[in-house]
Amino acid sequence: MEIIMISDSKIKVMLSADDLKSFDLDTSSLDYSNTETKRMFWDILSRAKRSIGFDTDGHRVLVQLYPSRCGGCEMFVTRLSCLYDSEKGEQSELPEIEPVINQLPPKKIKKERNDGRVGAFAFENISNLINVCRRLVNMGYDGESDAYVGEDKRSYLFLSDLEPCAYLPLDEFSFISEYGTAENEEATRSYVSEHAKEICKTNAVEELARF
C-alpha cells in the first residue's frame, strides 16, 4: 500500500491485489454496504493520519475508488467540510464517508471513430504522463494516441474519442485532472508541431505504460 499526499485536503492511495486480499476483498467485492469495504476505508484513513498527518476527524470525506485490471485499485480521498452538531454546538469527532466506487469497465472502451474527436492534455513532467498511460491501459483504453515533449519541458498527450476542448468531457477520463490539464486540441497541435519532439505516434498509451 502506498499513500501519497496530493494536497492539504487530498491524498491518493494505491493498493495492490495482495493489499485488497489482506482485507478479504477483491475488485469485484468492493462495496461500501459490506463490512469488509468499510473496514478497509477506516483502516486506510487511520494509516494516513499516522503516516503523513492526513487528519479526517470531524470532516466529511469523499472517497473515489478506481479498480484496475491488475487486481488492485487506486483510491482518492478528499477531506471536505467539517461536521457540526447544531444541537450540541460541537464538532463531531468521526468523519462521515461518502464513497464513490467506480466499477471496473468492460475490457475495451474503444468507440467508433466516425467524428475525429481528439482530447489534448498537458503534464508538468513525463512521470505524470506515464502514470496516466498506465491507468488508461488498466481501464482498457484502446483508442489512438500520440505523445510529445515540448520546449517548455511539459509533456503532451492526444487521445482519440474525446471532445476537442479545454475540459474533461467524459467521467471515465476525469482522473487525468489529477496528473495534468486538459487543453484546446487545435492550439496544442499547433504548438507541438513547431515546439515539441514526438515521443510516440499512434499508440502512445500502450507504449508509455510499459515504462
Side-chain angles (χ1 to χ4, degrees):
M1 182 187 303
E2 183 178 2
I3 302 175
I4 302 169
M5 181 75 80
I6 295 177
S7 69
D8 290 341
S9 60
K10 191 167 191 173
I11 62 171
K12 173 183 176 181
V13 183
M14 302 176 67
L15 298 103
S16 66
D18 288 339
D19 290 329
L20 290 179
K21 187 176 180 180
S22 69
F23 292 103
D24 296 322
L25 291 167
D26 56 35
T27 54
S28 64
S29 59
L30 290 168
D31 186 340
Y32 195 67
S33 65
N34 68 49
T35 302
E36 290 78 12
T37 302
K38 290 181 180 179
R39 179 168 62 88
M40 180 187 74
F41 282 174
W42 285 106
D43 183 271
I44 290 172
L45 291 178
S46 178
R47 294 190 192 197
K49 182 178 180 179
R50 293 196 308 268
S51 62
I52 61 174
F54 185 73
D55 190 358
T56 58
D57 291 353
H59 288 76
R60 290 172 53 243
V61 177
L62 174 65
V63 177
Q64 297 168 288
L65 196 150
Y66 301 87
S68 63
R69 295 195 178 280
C70 62
C73 66
E74 290 186 355
M75 187 168 73
F76 293 90
V77 180
T78 304
R79 185 177 57 217
L80 304 176
S81 58
C82 290
L83 293 172
Y84 186 80
D85 190 324
S86 58
E87 293 184 1
K88 296 182 179 180
E90 59 186 24
Q91 181 177 301
S92 171
E93 294 183 356
L94 296 177
E96 176 183 294
I97 298 177
E98 298 180 15
V100 178
I101 300 178
N102 294 268
Q103 297 299 318
L104 193 64
K107 185 174 182 180
K108 299 296 181 182
I109 56 176
K110 184 175 181 180
K111 301 179 181 180
E112 293 297 327
R113 299 186 182 93
N114 54 11
D115 54 8
R117 296 183 302 161
V118 176
F121 302 90
F123 307 91
E124 290 302 317
N125 54 63
I126 197 166
S127 177
N128 286 346
L129 168 62
I130 290 173
N131 285 332
V132 165
C133 290
R134 287 172 177 169
R135 284 194 60 175
L136 287 169
V137 166
N138 286 336
M139 289 171 59
Y141 179 79
D142 193 35
E144 295 179 0
S145 56
D146 49 310
Y148 304 82
V149 60
E151 293 175 356
D152 57 0
K153 307 302 182 184
R154 296 206 298 171
S155 301
Y156 296 89
L157 178 66
F158 296 89
L159 301 174
S160 64
D161 303 317
L162 294 181
E163 295 289 352
C165 52
Y167 64 89
L168 298 177
L170 300 177
D171 289 342
E172 64 261 40
F173 296 107
S174 61
F175 75 88
I176 298 178
S177 64
E178 302 291 339
Y179 301 90
T181 58
E183 306 287 336
N184 178 274
E185 190 265 337
E186 184 177 357
T188 306
R189 283 286 187 194
S190 177
Y191 171 80
V192 300
S193 67
E194 298 182 10
H195 304 286
K197 293 182 179 179
E198 180 182 300
I199 301 175
C200 298
K201 188 70 173 178
T202 70
N203 199 26
V205 168
E206 184 175 346
E207 292 296 326
L208 291 173
R210 296 173 181 172
F211 287 90

